[in-house]
Amino acid sequence: MILSGCGGGGSGGSTPTPTPAPAPAPTGLYTVPAAEALSIADVQSVIAHAAAEANARHLPGVIAVTDRVGNVLAVFRMTGARATAVTSPAPNGVNMDAQNLTIPAEAGAIAKAVTGAYLSSSGNAFSTRTASQIVQQNFPPGSSTLGLESGPLFGVQFSQLPCSDLSARYGASGGAALIGPKRSPLGLSADPGGFPLYKNGVVVGGIGVMADGVYGFDPNAIDIDNDPEEAIALAGTLGFEAPESVRADHVYVDGTQLRFTDMTYTGLIATGAASYAGTDPALGSLVAVRGYAVATIISGAAYGSEASGVRASTTSEFSNRDAFVLTDGAGNNRFPVRAGTDAGDVAAPLSATEARAILEEAFGVMSRARAQIRQPLDSRAQVTISLVDTRGAALGIVRAPDAPIFGTDVALQKARTAAFMSSRFAAPQLLADPSADVQHFVAATRTFLHDPNALTGAFAFTDRAGGLLSRPHFPDGEIARPNGPLSRPIAQFNPLSTGLQSALILTNVAQHLGFVTGASGTDTPQRCSFIPDAAPGQNRLQNGLQIFPGSVPVYRGNVLVGGLGVSGDGIDQDDMVSFLGLSNAGLRVGGISNAPVAIRADNLVVDLGDAQVRLRYVNCPFAPFLDTSTQNVCAGL
């Protein structure tokens, strides 16, 4: 990241602007996952095997099972299981945000199950151990890897939040319809003990186990742990195992092999057949969890069906026949393509035609791109794409058929974050948040950048640029350097307290946990953070802030008009799909574009005394397309 040569893609230069390749015709480039779902008998089998392993290890726990879109199908509490767990404390003992917090064991188990389901697809199977590896301050985390950059999904743990306006809620509108994606009580989990569940090669859900009383993460991915809690969850996958070829340990990121589990099927110690009839009530019973489940077992929704909340688009909803959309269960697209809602703030908001062009062109870039985290190699990338206006209102959300579910909420977070951080409203609204902790990040940023007017719209920020300011070392990974101004200092930092990102939603999490435990009769609202409304009932960070790459702000000339977010298949691919998609849309319809080169955040240089460090804007992969060997595809744009 030292000054020379680190502007990233789109940093300007004399390279001629290339003519974009046309978006592919809607010819069905992707295979739609088969309509598989967990039955009641399947869920019983999962619980029985996990409980048998827990019983054999004399470690009773709470077992949660979800379907692919986050519906909680059952929560089973074993007799003698711990009622609560405690999150990891701050390194320096000064606990903030979600550090050293007592949580219901059921909440931890559900979060783990959701994580296993949401991070996985037919092309990749990720566990909560995988999540732990990719969200920490060094990648891979460990004492021997200090000085390496942070994990590629640093910050993803604060997605799928209980306050998210994208996530559906159990029991909403007086019922318990299987409409997803659903929220998680604690966001995504980095605590080993959560796995995806598969049927016939198709991800159908997840299992999460909370048994040891500690809800944390693995700070050292170099060694192999003996983790009984993880073994219990692994036992629950018997008969529903992730295909060997797509497990995380077959996926490499920047040359590093990802981790799936430290336990093995041959290391399981329960013997004999496990039956649900011999489990309930002999080993425990089903329990209700407020806001998530009643004390019974239900079957899962088949992903891709109307009941799942995610289905194939119609021709009137989106032109590309590969596109999937979010639905309300009654056939209605929850986030249809539409014009901007911010006429009071922007002279010429995005039109519906422009919004459609941006989404279609981004989808076209994705469908040509080589995936980073999918097997087999040379698969097509599959992501979720979200577009918002300057008020954070969604102007359309589309996704590939088998894109991981986690990217749905994250893509919207990224789009909103890019628009917010690039706007004239960022500093005033953060200063208007009731939390003094949130407010202090404005002064910290202005001091760090030597700019008393920072965060007032003078510069365009992508999530890559803002994310670098959110790292506990700046430049990212360099030890003995100061923390970025939007981060906690390294002595304070862990994945449960990242900085501005976590400070914004601390009250929301506390409100929700009070509701889950019954201490409060009121749940947190479907709006994350307490910054002022941009419009009645709508704030600019309605589902939270995101701090890892994959977004660009949208401009009309020098005027910010929105944000585009992409998530699901590698951060460089996410950067490229958003950056090139917007560029191609501008060439197609005129009037809209990426930020002018002169105001992009990679013009900002931070003086560290002995070094000058330039921020980055986007980082596009080399030779990323399946249909051409063209390199440096973002250069000169």
Side-chain angles (χ1 to χ4, degrees), residues 170-439:
Y170 175 83
S173 303
L178 299 182
I179 304 302
K182 290 278 174 56
R183 61 184 177 168
S184 166
L186 297 166
L188 294 184
S189 176
D191 187 21
F195 291 101
L197 300 170
Y198 283 75
K199 287 181 71 171
N200 299 316
V202 177
V203 59
V204 289
I207 177 175
V209 173
M210 197 73 246
D212 60 11
V214 178
Y215 184 82
F217 54 94
D218 179 10
N220 185 7
I222 307 302
D223 63 358
I224 302 298
D225 295 333
N226 180 13
D227 192 325
E229 194 175 61
E230 188 173 43
I232 296 167
L234 188 67
T237 70
L238 287 167
F240 304 94
E241 301 94 338
E244 171 68 30
S245 61
V246 303
R247 293 177 193 168
D249 50 11
H250 289 264
V251 177
Y252 290 77
V253 176
D254 293 336
T256 295
Q257 182 183 29
L258 298 184
R259 299 285 285 277
F260 186 64
T261 178
D262 280 3
M263 307 303 288
T264 64
Y265 286 106
T266 56
L268 300 179
I269 62 176
T271 58
S275 71
Y276 190 73
T279 303
D280 184 0
L283 299 181
S285 61
L286 297 165
V287 295
V289 181
R290 194 176 187 196
Y292 290 91
V294 294
T296 189
I297 297 177
I298 61 174
S299 56
Y303 170 80
S305 67
E306 180 69 25
S308 74
V310 188
R311 59 158 171 80
S313 65
T314 65
T315 53
S316 63
E317 290 169 336
F318 203 70
S319 62
N320 194 301
R321 294 298 76 237
D322 284 314
F324 271 47
V325 297
L326 301 186
T327 183
D328 65 358
N332 303 306
N333 185 351
R334 289 177 56 199
F335 300 100
V337 180
R338 60 171 176 158
T341 68
D342 49 356
D345 299 324
V346 177
L350 285 168
S351 68
T353 297
E354 290 169 332
R356 187 171 296 277
I358 293 170
L359 292 166
E360 287 177 349
E361 293 297 332
F363 201 94
V365 174
M366 171 201 70
S367 65
R368 298 175 55 221
R370 180 179 289 106
Q372 180 179 11
I373 63 169
R374 299 183 71 88
Q375 293 293 319
L377 295 177
D378 291 334
S379 296
R380 294 184 190 276
Q382 300 208 41
V383 302
T384 300
I385 305 165
S386 292
L387 178 68
V388 301
D389 63 19
T390 63
R391 292 180 177 176
L395 307 186
I397 298 177
V398 293
R399 48 182 280 114
D402 191 39
I405 294 293
F406 86 92
T408 313
D409 187 69
V410 171
L412 185 58
Q413 286 184 317
K414 289 182 180 182
R416 285 171 168 166
T417 301
F420 179 78
M421 295 294 287
S422 303
S423 76
R424 69 181 189 273
F425 301 106
Q429 294 212 328
L430 292 175
L431 291 171
D433 189 283
S435 166
D437 187 27
V438 169
Q439 295 170 23

Side-chain angles (χ1 to χ4, degrees), residues 8 22 83 91 101 110-111 125 143 175 180 247-248 285 312 400 406 420 443 469 492 524 600:
L101 180 69
I110 291 171
S143 59
R247 293 177 193 168
S285 61
F406 86 92
F420 179 78
L469 298 177
Q492 171 69 50
T524 192
R600 295 177 188 174

Side-chain angles (χ1 to χ4, degrees), residues 118-212:
Y118 276 20
L119 289 179
S120 302
S121 72
S122 296
N124 70 290
F126 286 4
S127 66
T128 53
R129 184 171 292 280
T130 315
S132 183
Q133 184 182 12
I134 59 182
V135 302
Q136 296 188 53
Q137 66 268 28
N138 302 114
F139 176 70
S143 59
S144 63
T145 60
L146 298 178
L148 296 183
E149 292 185 351
S150 53
L153 266 64
F154 180 97
V156 76
Q157 62 271 32
F158 287 105
S159 66
Q160 333 303 320
L161 294 167
C163 50
S164 170
D165 64 325
L166 180 138
S167 299
R169 294 191 175 189
Y170 175 83
S173 303
L178 299 182
I179 304 302
K182 290 278 174 56
R183 61 184 177 168
S184 166
L186 297 166
L188 294 184
S189 176
D191 187 21
F195 291 101
L197 300 170
Y198 283 75
K199 287 181 71 171
N200 299 316
V202 177
V203 59
V204 289
I207 177 175
V209 173
M210 197 73 246
D212 60 11

Side-chain angles (χ1 to χ4, degrees), residues 83-108:
T84 61
V86 178
T87 64
S88 296
N92 64 0
V94 183
N95 297 298
M96 302 180 73
D97 301 331
Q99 295 171 329
N100 203 40
L101 180 69
T102 299
I103 63 168
E106 287 81 1

Side-chain angles (χ1 to χ4, degrees), residues 444-534:
T445 301
R446 289 174 168 176
T447 299
F448 193 82
L449 297 178
H450 306 288
D451 180 1
N453 298 308
L455 302 179
T456 56
F459 286 93
F461 281 88
T462 59
D463 278 25
R464 185 174 292 273
L468 292 174
L469 298 177
S470 303
R471 300 301 191 264
H473 295 295
F474 186 92
D476 187 16
E478 289 194 14
I479 59 175
R481 291 291 194 183
N483 58 285
L486 302 179
S487 174
R488 302 290 186 203
I490 189 61
Q492 171 69 50
F493 174 90
N494 71 22
L496 301 168
S497 181
T498 55
L500 175 61
Q501 181 193 38
S502 53
L504 280 165
I505 52 86
L506 174 61
T507 299
N508 296 102
V509 172
Q511 288 175 334
H512 180 60
L513 291 179
F515 174 76
V516 171
T517 62
S520 170
T522 305
D523 199 354
T524 192
Q526 281 191 286
R527 53 166 295 147
C528 296
S529 88
F530 291 84
I531 61 174
D533 279 351

